[in-house]
DNA sequence: ATAGGGTTAG
């Protein structure tokens, strides 16, 4: 019937909008003649999801003096929810009350659902309290919504109140609460709900199990996980695919790699969801290569966006950045469309190796596909552009975001800090608070490290002291590390050492390491030895620390001590971490290794470097050979310096790009003083702008000077 | 006429 009269109704509705009074009354008469009343018209439009028409007919109905009945109100109220029309919805609420429907349970129930949709839990709760006899569905909708908000106390209160009213909550209600607690991160409450439902004699079903397992995993409760696994087997819930995926995920989070694989292998039929959970679980346990293997093995199957995205995320989180970029390209040739999660998983890979062109391509992709308003995408772009040396683009992304979260602010601040833009970082820190965003412990790491770059010890102390006093953020290990670096770098080594001694908890290897590397900057043997002793106890297998101490000795020509440290390394089987540099040239990322001759253009690189060295010496350059660890002849030291990967990468860039084209190099260690001097020279001699990002910060070379002002 | 629950990617 609705189908037959629809054209007529549509016509009527359009007359409502625009036509003259005469044609409107004609249309109205027409539908009346066909036996369709206005309230009925409303029901028909509502069933067809023509929400605009519902409201229009409703207003017209009122002008005709027809009083809404108990059936019209729920429909119109539902329509308000669907249209996100809060004001109209509130008017309906008042209207229903004055029309005498204040006790009508259907009207009240529809109002409650409307307020729940608008996230106005207080209003929803008020309506609930007026319901003479709340139903299961209505009650559990409200309860699970409170749970989803993380309002544990109110959820439980409502839960008990409901049962007191005699509402028998069923499995669906309990499951709703469990998943609600999960979404708000109240994992322990989710687990407790699961246990309580079990104690009350309800039989958890597949949905209950797959709802509670993520919480068990996040809490890392493997014993509870095993119990639930047994329950799954006993109840025969094994064939449920959601349950299997959730089990794999739980074991992965609990570091039970073999149990995880066991569940996967016992599956009768391979499921994509389970496969995705396995990939994530493997890389979470440091087995990226196995994850890639599994992924390749099941590539023939119908892998989906989630599969590709999780593989990309695994790669970019585990140092396989180039692989991540390749996967992104590959998924598109396979016809899988990246979505708003894929982009923020890929962007860190671009940032890590400063693959600006790939990053821009991902940015363009998100613009073309309308996923630029996503907070995660925006924050990831801010971070990517900052790490690729493009602070202006980074700031632009920040400014264009329709809404920002803590991560967006922190990313921008970290970017400024990394670029040595201390005052900008501090300004952002102040601005975020004026915008109502509370800083967290990460924000303080950002602002303190910004102070480090500018040597602002006074400001650093100010922010450090204000942390717990004014912001309720307790200082963690990282904040002490930052302070030690800040003080140490600026030459206040005694102050840094005193700070470590006064820490309220045991300093870890990072804190002592910060002191050690500051001692390297100022070549302080005595304090360096103290710091090194502690670092070697706490972190005996990190070669970088031995190198630092050895370099301190080398700078004072204490070759016997250098030998002792080198012997220590050798006896512990440690080797110096090789220095790598990356440079992106014409959309291809080249990786260069110190002293490695495998790059096809190596002969040209060496030739060019030799020419440059001649020019440098003419202009008075003396190599900073004290940075070479080995006790060798001066001539050989120069040779060793020649091979530093950042220099090779810069020269490779010079050879393969047009004159004047800016270069950008990333290094996996800190830039050395000699390379710093050489690149300053090159930037002037070759008239190039050169960006070098090391593990600490950005160096922007232009016209023979560096943006760090030789302070790093 | 109103109306509730699940896994895997940030």
């Amino acid at each position: 019937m609705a189908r037959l009269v629809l054209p007529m109704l549509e016509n009527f509705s359009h007359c409502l909008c625009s036509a003259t009074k005469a044609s409107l009354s004609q249309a109205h008469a027409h539908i009346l003649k066909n036996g369709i009343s206005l309230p009925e018209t409303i029901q028909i439009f509502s069933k067809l999801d023509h929400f605009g028409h519902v409201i229009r007919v409703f207003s017209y109905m009122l002008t005709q003096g027809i009083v809404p009945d108990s059936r019209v109100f729920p429909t119109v109220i539902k329509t308000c929810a669907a249209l996100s029309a809060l004001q109209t919805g509130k008017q309906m609420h008042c209207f229903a009350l004055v029309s005498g429907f204040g006790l009508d349970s259907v009207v009240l129930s529809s109002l409650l659902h409307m307020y729940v949709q608008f996230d106005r839990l207080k209003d929803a709760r008020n309506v609930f309290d007026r319901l003479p006899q709340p139903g299961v569905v209505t009650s559990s909708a409200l309860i699970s919504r409170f749970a989803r908000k993380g309002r544990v106390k109110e959820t439980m209160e409502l839960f008990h109140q409901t049962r007191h009213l005699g509402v028998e909550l069923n499995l669906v209600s309990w499951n709703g609460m469990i998943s609600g607690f999960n979404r708000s991160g109240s994992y322990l409450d989710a687990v407790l709900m699961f246990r309580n439902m079990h104690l009350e004699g309800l039989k958890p079903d597949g949905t209950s199990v797959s709802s509670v397992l993520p919480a068990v995993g996040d809490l890392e409760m493997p014993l509870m996980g095993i119990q639930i696994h047994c329950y799954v087997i006993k109840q025969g819930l094994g064939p449920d695919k959601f349950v299997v995926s959730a089990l794999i995920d739980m074991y992965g989070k609990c570091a039970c790699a073999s149990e995880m694989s066991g569940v996967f292998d016992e599956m009768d039929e391979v499921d994509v969801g389970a496969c995705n959970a396995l990939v994530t679980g493997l890389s979470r346990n440091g087995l990226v290569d196995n994850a890639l293997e599994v992924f390749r093995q099941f590539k023939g199957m119908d892998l989906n966006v989630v599969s590709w995205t999780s593989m990309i995320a695994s790669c970019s989180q585990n140092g396989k950045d180039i692989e991540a970029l390749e996967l992104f390209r590959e998924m598109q040739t396979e016809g899988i469309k990246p979505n708003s999660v894929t982009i923020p998983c890929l962007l860190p890979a671009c940032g890590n190796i400063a693959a600006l062109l790939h990053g821009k391509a991902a940015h363009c992709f998100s613009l073309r596909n309308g996923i630029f308003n996503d907070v995660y995408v925006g924050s990831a772009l801010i971070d990517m552009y900052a790490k690729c040396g493009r602070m202006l683009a980074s700031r632009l992304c920040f400014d264009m975001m329709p809404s920002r979260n803590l991560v967006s602010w922190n990313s921008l601040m970290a970017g400024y800090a990394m670029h040595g833009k201390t005052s900008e970082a501090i300004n952002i820190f102040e601005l975020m608070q004026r915008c109502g965003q509370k800083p967290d412990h990460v924000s303080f790491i950002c602002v303190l490290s910004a102070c480090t770059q500018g040597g602002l010890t006074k400001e650093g102390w100010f922010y450090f002291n204000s942390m717990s006093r004014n912001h309720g953020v307790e200082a963690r290990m990282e904040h002490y590390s930052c302070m030690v670096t800040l003080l140490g770098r600026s030459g206040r080594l005694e102050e840094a050492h005193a700070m470590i001694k006064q820490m309220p908890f045991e300093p870890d290897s990072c804190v002592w390491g910060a002191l050690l590397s500051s001692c390297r900057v100022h070549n302080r043997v005595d304090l360096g030895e103290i710091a090194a002793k502690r670092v070697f106890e706490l972190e005996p297998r990190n070669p970088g620390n031995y190198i630092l101490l050895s370099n301190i000795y080398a700078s004072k020509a204490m070759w016997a001590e250098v030998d002792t440290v080198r012997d220590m390394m050798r006896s512990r089987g440690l080797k110096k971490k090789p220095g790598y540099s990356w440079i992106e040239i014409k959309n291809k990322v080249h990786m260069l290794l110190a002293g490695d001759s495998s790059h096809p253009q190596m002969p040209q690189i060496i030739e060019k470097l030799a020419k440059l060295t001649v020019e440098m010496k003419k202009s008075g350059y003396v190599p900073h050979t004290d940075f070479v660890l080995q006790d060798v002849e001066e001539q050989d030291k120069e040779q060793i310096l020649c091979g530093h990967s950042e220099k090779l990468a810069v020269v490779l860039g010079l050879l393969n790009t047009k004159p004047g084209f800016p270069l950008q190099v990333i290094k996996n260690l800190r830039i050395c003083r000699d390379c710093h001097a050489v690149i300053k020279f090159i930037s002037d001699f070759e008239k190039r702008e050169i960006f070098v990002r090391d593990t600490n910060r950005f160096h922007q070379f232009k016209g023979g000077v560096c943006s760090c002002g030789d302070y790093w």
Side-chain angles (χ1 to χ4, degrees):
Chain A
M1 131 87 169
R3 206 170 287 243
L4 286 173
V5 301
L6 191 61
M8 187 169 66
L9 286 182
E10 289 281 357
N11 181 32
F12 168 59
S13 180
H14 287 128
C15 288
L16 274 174
C17 304
S18 55
T20 59
K21 257 190 178 163
S23 64
L24 175 57
S25 58
Q26 212 177 4
H28 188 189
H30 191 54
I31 65 163
L32 283 178
K33 204 172 77 192
N34 281 274
I36 314 168
S37 68
L38 290 175
E40 259 176 294
T41 312
I42 290 178
Q43 302 309 341
I44 293 171
F45 279 142
S46 165
K47 281 217 174 70
L48 293 167
D49 290 352
H50 289 186
F51 300 121
H53 291 346
V54 172
I55 300 293
R56 248 170 264 139
V57 177
F58 180 73
S59 330
Y60 177 70
M61 193 177 96
L62 299 184
T63 67
Q64 295 301 104
I66 301 174
V67 182
D69 61 12
S70 67
R71 292 201 321 190
V72 167
F73 272 116
T75 311
V76 175
I77 290 166
K78 178 187 160 185
T79 306
C80 293
L83 289 171
S84 309
L86 176 60
Q87 288 312 318
T88 317
K90 279 181 173 174
Q91 285 172 359
M92 286 306 149
H93 190 169
C94 298
F95 194 13
L97 292 187
V98 295
S99 308
F101 294 107
L103 290 174
D104 186 305
S105 63
V106 179
V107 171
L108 286 173
S109 175
S110 65
L111 279 169
L112 185 143
H113 284 281
M114 180 189 77
Y115 283 127
V116 162
Q117 265 208 23
F118 285 131
D119 225 21
R120 299 182 67 106
L121 296 192
K122 218 176 133 197
D123 293 324
R125 178 66 198 262
N126 270 334
V127 174
F128 180 83
D129 289 337
R130 279 162 223 287
L131 267 174
Q133 196 64 58
V136 206
V137 179
T138 307
S139 311
S140 53
L142 188 59
I143 295 174
S144 69
R145 197 63 177 215
F146 269 104
R148 206 178 284 186
K149 282 262 144 182
R151 290 156 76 161
V152 180
K153 217 181 113 196
E154 283 153 294
T155 312
M156 298 313 289
E157 213 179 84
L158 201 53
F159 174 74
H160 291 302
Q161 186 188 336
T162 310
R163 302 221 295 185
H164 192 70
L165 289 170
V167 181
E168 267 306 316
L169 291 174
N170 55 21
L171 258 188
V172 177
S173 324
W174 284 83
N175 291 349
M177 284 176 78
I178 294 174
S179 79
F181 282 137
N182 256 342
R183 283 199 215 182
S184 66
S186 318
Y187 301 125
L188 197 58
D189 294 297
V191 170
L192 289 175
M193 275 330 273
F194 182 83
R195 204 196 52 177
N196 286 341
M197 79 188 280
H198 196 49
L199 291 178
E200 288 207 10
L202 271 109
K203 245 200 205 161
D205 64 356
T207 304
S208 328
V209 170
S210 42
S211 302
V212 77
L213 279 174
V216 175
D218 281 314
L219 293 168
E220 291 175 50
M221 299 169 74
L223 292 181
M224 173 115 195
I226 290 168
Q227 280 183 326
I228 294 178
H229 191 176
C230 293
Y231 178 81
V232 165
I233 294 168
K234 248 188 275 174
Q235 297 295 324
L237 299 173
D240 189 324
K241 286 177 177 169
F242 287 132
V243 170
V244 175
S245 298
L247 276 171
I248 293 174
D249 173 65
M250 178 276 295
Y251 280 129
K253 286 176 181 159
C254 293
C256 304
S258 57
E259 283 80 359
M260 175 177 73
S261 306
V263 175
F264 186 80
D265 293 336
E266 275 172 31
M267 267 189 318
D268 297 328
E269 211 181 317
V270 185
D271 169 58
V272 200
C275 192
N276 298 343
L278 183 67
V279 165
T280 311
L282 286 170
S283 31
R284 193 175 268 148
N285 286 285
L287 305 164
V288 211
D289 291 315
N290 302 37
L292 269 164
E293 204 179 304
V294 170
F295 182 80
R296 292 284 167 218
Q297 193 184 332
F298 293 106
K299 224 188 101 181
M301 288 190 2
D302 49 346
L303 293 182
N304 54 25
V305 216
V306 179
S307 326
W308 286 90
T309 304
S310 56
M311 197 62 251
I312 289 173
S314 303
C315 286
S316 60
Q317 286 160 10
N318 288 284
K320 295 192 173 290
D321 303 297
I322 295 178
E323 285 85 343
L325 300 182
E326 279 167 2
L327 282 165
F328 184 66
R329 189 181 42 78
E330 201 182 329
M331 79 182 278
Q332 285 166 284
T333 54
E334 295 272 332
I336 307 289
K337 200 171 174 190
N339 64 15
S340 64
V341 182
T342 318
I343 302 300
C345 288
L346 173 77
L347 286 172
C350 305
N352 287 342
I353 52 173
L356 177 64
L357 298 180
H358 285 90
K360 276 185 178 174
H363 189 184
C364 290
F365 179 91
S366 69
L367 293 174
R368 278 200 309 277
N369 292 282
I371 41 183
F372 44 84
N373 280 340
D374 187 295
V375 212
Y376 285 95
V377 172
S379 304
L381 283 169
I382 294 170
D383 178 65
M384 183 276 290
Y385 279 119
K387 286 188 178 145
C388 289
R390 298 295 190 275
M391 248 354 262
L392 276 177
S394 176
R395 180 57 190 259
L396 208 58
C397 287
F398 178 85
D399 288 338
M400 306 237 299
M401 285 173 80
S403 63
R404 303 167 185 92
N405 64 13
L406 189 57
V407 179
S408 329
W409 288 97
N410 287 349
S411 304
L412 184 67
M413 220 185 335
Y416 279 132
M418 200 195 310
H419 284 259
K421 307 254 183 217
T422 308
S423 55
E424 281 87 343
I426 290 176
N427 286 341
I428 292 299
F429 183 74
E430 298 297 337
L431 183 64
M432 76 187 275
Q433 292 169 66
R434 284 202 296 277
C435 291
Q437 179 66 64
K438 277 190 188 163
D440 72 341
H441 73 106
V442 179
S443 319
F444 280 99
I445 295 174
C446 296
V447 77
L448 290 177
S449 74
C451 291
T452 303
Q453 304 303 342
L456 301 183
T457 48
K458 216 179 92 195
E459 288 78 357
W461 272 119
F462 170 78
Y463 287 117
F464 183 82
N465 289 330
S466 75
M467 277 177 65
S468 83
R469 199 185 300 153
N470 306 330
H471 302 275
V473 178
E474 286 310 316
R476 304 186 183 188
M477 202 67 88
E478 298 99 305
H479 302 106
Y480 282 97
S481 285
C482 282
M483 283 306 286
V484 170
T485 307
L486 167 60
L487 298 169
R489 268 305 124 77
S490 61
R492 305 176 177 221
L493 289 160
E494 268 71 25
E495 211 173 319
H497 190 200
M499 175 155 216
I500 296 181
K501 285 193 279 195
Q502 286 168 13
M503 279 175 60
F505 41 84
E506 270 307 299
D508 72 351
S509 61
C510 294
V511 177
W512 285 110
L515 184 63
L516 177 60
S517 77
S518 299
C519 290
R520 167 63 180 114
V521 171
H522 299 283
N523 289 326
R524 273 280 300 266
V525 175
D526 55 338
L527 255 185
E529 284 176 334
I530 295 175
K533 189 170 168 272
R534 304 307 306 272
V535 179
F536 294 164
E537 285 165 12
L538 294 161
E539 200 184 40
R541 303 212 52 81
N542 180 350
N545 299 326
Y546 297 88
I547 303 286
L548 280 172
L549 181 62
S550 161
N551 281 348
I552 295 175
Y553 288 137
S555 73
K556 303 274 182 206
M558 298 164 70
W559 303 119
E561 285 79 0
V562 170
D563 278 341
T564 316
V565 178
R566 280 165 61 193
D567 286 343
M568 236 163 127
M569 281 181 76
R570 206 171 303 132
S571 70
R572 295 180 186 184
L574 301 174
K575 273 194 183 144
K576 183 180 189 293
K577 196 169 144 199
Y580 291 101
S581 293
W582 291 265
I583 182 165
E584 190 188 37
I585 300 167
K586 296 185 188 102
N587 221 355
K588 183 171 170 14
V589 178
H590 299 256
M591 190 172 89
L592 292 132
L593 176 61
D596 171 35
S597 55
S598 68
H599 196 278
Q601 280 183 284
M602 202 47 95
Q604 292 101 297
I605 294 176
I606 290 173
E607 193 194 330
K608 176 81 181 168
L609 202 51
K611 276 188 200 160
L612 284 166
T613 311
V614 173
E615 291 297 333
M616 276 189 287
K617 288 201 169 155
K618 266 195 233 164
S619 65
Y621 156 83
V622 182
H624 293 56
T625 45
D626 72 294
F627 281 77
V628 183
L629 173 67
Q630 288 94 336
D631 172 20
V632 286
E633 294 300 313
E634 285 298 312
Q635 194 80 39
D636 300 338
K637 284 188 191 171
E638 276 186 43
Q639 288 264 287
I640 293 164
L641 280 175
C642 242
H644 269 179
S645 62
E646 56 267 50
K647 261 186 264 178
L648 300 178
V650 166
V651 175
L652 184 72
L654 289 177
L655 291 172
N656 293 296
T657 53
K658 290 196 184 112
F661 193 85
L663 301 176
Q664 182 151 311
V665 169
I666 303 301
K667 197 184 175 193
N668 70 335
L669 302 170
R670 253 167 206 252
I671 188 169
C672 86
R673 207 156 275 279
D674 184 65
C675 286
H676 198 266
V678 171
I679 297 172
K680 275 203 297 194
F681 173 82
I682 294 177
S683 75
D684 191 32
F685 186 75
E686 297 274 345
K687 300 281 174 277
R688 295 266 195 159
E689 205 173 335
I690 302 171
F691 297 89
V692 178
R693 194 185 88 201
D694 68 6
T695 41
N696 182 37
R697 59 163 290 161
F698 254 100
H699 299 264
Q700 186 179 351
F701 300 90
K702 197 178 175 182
V705 286
C706 178
S707 61
C708 73
D710 299 338
Y711 181 88
W712 77 88

